[in-house]
Amino acid sequence: RISRELEPSLFLRRGAHGECIVMVFRDQASSYRQLASESCDRGEHWGPPALTAMPDSRAKQSAGNLPDGSAYLVNAPNADRVRIPLAVTLSPDGRRFDRSFLLRGHGDLPPLRHAGRYKRPGYHYPKSLVWNDHLYVAYSVNKEDIAVTRVPLASLASMH
């Protein structure tokens, strides 16, 4: 059996009983929503992966925590295969992701330069890192170039 859960990323969620690890996945079954599993015993046991309400174009995602403990998810939050826009979505508690910040949209996307198998326009495979008061997001543009977007953490803090 091939796993439905693919390309994991994680963030920490603080709860009434301590900290839990939340692992988010791309859904290989094409629900165009994120899957998530949770462990509240430091990764010893995990709950079954469940569909979340977070839309996802299956472009991969990158999750983490900001220095204030809030969780973030970088993905292409689209409920179909279109991997546009690229956004960071925030959650103060790791449960409800209710504030998004546009990183790249249609207007930022150059035309495809070369045809190829499995190629299509969009922002693909984001990975992120918090460093020196910024959120850095690296991603593929049209599967032809690599780009990095640097977001000052102060601009995200103003969204809380």
Side-chain angles (χ1 to χ4, degrees):
R1 166 172 124 63
I2 295 176
S3 176
R4 177 179 181 173
E5 306 83 22
L6 190 65
E7 300 168 344
S9 192
L10 63 88
F11 61 87
L12 299 177
R13 179 180 57 75
R14 292 188 183 102
H17 303 291
E19 214 166 53
C20 296
I21 306 166
V22 179
M23 185 90 58
V24 291
F25 304 90
R26 168 178 157 173
D27 182 7
Q28 197 64 354
S30 297
S31 68
Y32 298 104
R33 295 189 344 219
Q34 291 279 297
L35 293 168
S37 179
E38 178 178 276
S39 172
C40 296
D41 59 8
R42 303 181 72 131
E44 191 168 328
H45 301 93
W46 289 87
L51 276 175
T52 70
M54 176 62 74
D56 182 62
S57 67
R58 299 184 60 222
K60 204 167 187 171
Q61 77 287 319
S62 186
N65 292 90
L66 299 178
D68 68 2
S70 60
Y72 71 85
L73 177 69
V74 176
N75 74 335
N78 203 349
D80 64 26
R81 289 179 44 143
V82 177
R83 294 178 173 182
I84 308 166
L86 181 66
V88 57
T89 305
L90 305 176
S91 171
D93 61 5
R95 291 186 185 278
R96 184 174 173 204
F97 286 78
D98 58 359
R99 293 193 170 95
S100 285
F101 182 82
L102 178 67
L103 298 174
R104 292 288 176 251
H106 282 282
D108 303 310
L109 194 64
L112 282 172
R113 293 191 307 266
H114 308 284
R117 190 172 184 185
Y118 304 116
K119 282 188 65 184
R120 59 182 186 268
Y123 304 102
H124 311 268
Y125 318 118
K127 295 311 282 178
S128 60
L129 169 71
V130 175
W131 185 61
N132 281 349
D133 299 321
H134 290 84
L135 172 66
Y136 290 85
V137 181
Y139 48 93
S140 169
V141 179
N142 295 335
K143 295 186 180 179
E144 295 177 333
D145 297 301
I146 299 297
V148 176
T149 297
R150 185 178 81 152
V151 180
L153 293 180
S155 68
L156 297 176
S158 66
M159 294 183 65
H160 287 279

